[in-house]
């Protein structure tokens, strides 16, 4: 099954920095909520440094991780632009510096930098594809296939490292932590990944895609 990653957009690394150039970042502590599901989206956010997790919650209190954002990312933009209540919550995973962007700021920056508007459209379109792909994966793939596909959507550092816990991976693919642990061990034995404390390093992306 086809997968989509925001990393594949090939946007310039500093494409979103104009949003931070004239505006002060807010500091968030690990575990601090940035916004909550079902609230009005008066801002979207530029993650200047740190890591942020977005997740959705059911009425029964079950949480599902949607994405993990690293420095240089935008998040919370979909509900901001469609002006509907947020479909997810966001929480700081580490110490974060985050620039909140309101409508006036967005208009000013996109007027001064027209390429931002086109980049945002591309970013939003890929986000929709990414979420649609995740829904399909949940419906049609085995747990090991869901894990492989989900890993390929997450931001990776230059050496292939994804910083996330096995609990977060389990929540994201609706599987138990035991299942995720066993599957990662199998992937490691096949030379597809390496596991370490607080992260997974992808060694063979094509091999994961073929799972």
């Amino acid at each position: 099954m086809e997968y989509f990653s925001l990393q594949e957009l090939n946007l310039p690394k500093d494409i979103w920095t104009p949003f931070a150039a004239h505006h002060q970042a807010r500091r968030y502590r690990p575990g601090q909520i940035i916004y909550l599901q079902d609230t009005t989206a008066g801002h979207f956010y530029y993650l200047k440094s740190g890591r942020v997790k977005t997740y959705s919650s059911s009425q029964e209190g079950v949480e599902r991780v949607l994405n993990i954002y690293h420095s240089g990312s935008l998040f919370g933009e979909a509900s901001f632009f469609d002006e509907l209540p947020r479909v997810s919550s966001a929480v700081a995973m580490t110490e974060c510096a985050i620039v909140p962007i309101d409508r006036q700021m967005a208009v000013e920056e996109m007027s001064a930098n027209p390429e931002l508007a086109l980049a945002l459209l591309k970013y939003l379109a890929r986000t929709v594809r990414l979420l649609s792909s995740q829904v399909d994966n949940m419906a049609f793939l085995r747990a090991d296939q869901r894990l492989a596909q989900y890993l390929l959507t997450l931001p990776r550092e230059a050496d292939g490292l994804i910083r996330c816990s096995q609990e977060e991976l389990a929540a994201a693919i609706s599987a138990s932590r035991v299942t995720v642990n066993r599957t990662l061990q199998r992937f490691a034995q096949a030379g597809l990944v390496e596991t370490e404390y607080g992260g997974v390093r992808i060694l063979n992306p094509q091999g994961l895609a073929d799972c």
Side-chain angles (χ1 to χ4, degrees):
M1 181 172 291
E2 188 174 13
Y3 70 92
F4 305 96
S5 170
L6 293 175
Q7 286 187 311
E8 298 172 356
L9 291 174
N10 295 320
L11 296 173
K13 187 177 181 180
D14 59 351
I15 185 66
W16 311 127
T17 55
F19 287 125
H22 308 106
H23 308 285
Q24 187 171 3
R26 295 179 185 174
R27 298 287 173 177
Y28 288 82
R29 303 181 305 277
Q32 187 173 355
I33 295 294
I34 301 161
Y35 59 77
L36 288 171
Q37 186 173 326
D38 296 323
T39 58
T40 301
H43 299 81
F44 67 104
Y45 300 87
Y46 170 67
L47 181 55
K48 192 172 182 179
S49 64
R51 287 189 293 140
V52 166
K53 175 178 70 177
T54 56
Y55 62 94
S56 61
S57 304
S58 69
Q59 292 182 346
E60 294 75 24
V62 178
E63 294 184 357
R64 180 172 183 270
V65 178
L66 297 178
N67 213 336
I68 297 172
Y69 296 90
H70 291 237
S71 57
S73 299
L74 292 183
F75 64 98
E77 75 287 347
S79 296
F80 174 85
F81 284 109
D82 70 12
E83 299 183 327
L84 293 175
R86 294 195 183 278
V87 297
S88 65
S89 302
V91 62
M93 299 176 67
T94 63
E95 293 284 344
C96 292
I98 300 173
V99 179
I101 304 161
D102 60 23
R103 298 194 183 281
Q104 181 178 347
M105 291 166 58
V107 170
E108 289 175 353
E109 294 300 340
M110 286 190 283
S111 296
N113 302 278
E115 70 275 10
L116 282 177
L118 290 175
L120 270 170
L121 287 173
K122 191 175 183 181
Y123 190 83
L124 282 166
R126 183 53 61 91
T127 299
V128 170
R129 285 182 177 268
L130 175 60
L131 292 176
S132 296
S133 178
Q134 289 178 356
V135 170
D136 287 344
N137 288 350
M138 291 295 295
F140 301 116
L141 298 184
R142 302 187 310 267
D144 60 334
Q145 293 174 317
R146 297 201 303 272
L147 179 59
Q149 298 298 320
Y150 183 65
L151 286 171
L152 290 168
T153 71
L154 295 176
R156 301 193 292 272
E157 298 182 2
D159 62 353
L161 179 65
I162 298 169
R163 296 192 180 278
C164 61
S165 68
Q166 293 187 13
E167 289 83 359
E168 290 163 350
L169 293 173
I173 67 167
S174 295
S176 69
R177 185 188 180 283
V178 172
T179 296
V180 168
N181 181 269
R182 289 175 178 169
T183 304
L184 288 175
Q185 289 183 29
R186 183 160 59 82
F187 287 170
Q189 291 171 357
L192 303 179
V193 304
E194 286 180 347
T195 60
E196 59 182 70
Y197 180 77
V200 178
R201 179 174 287 103
I202 294 182
L203 303 177
N204 185 348
Q206 187 57 54
L208 280 180
D210 291 338
C211 283

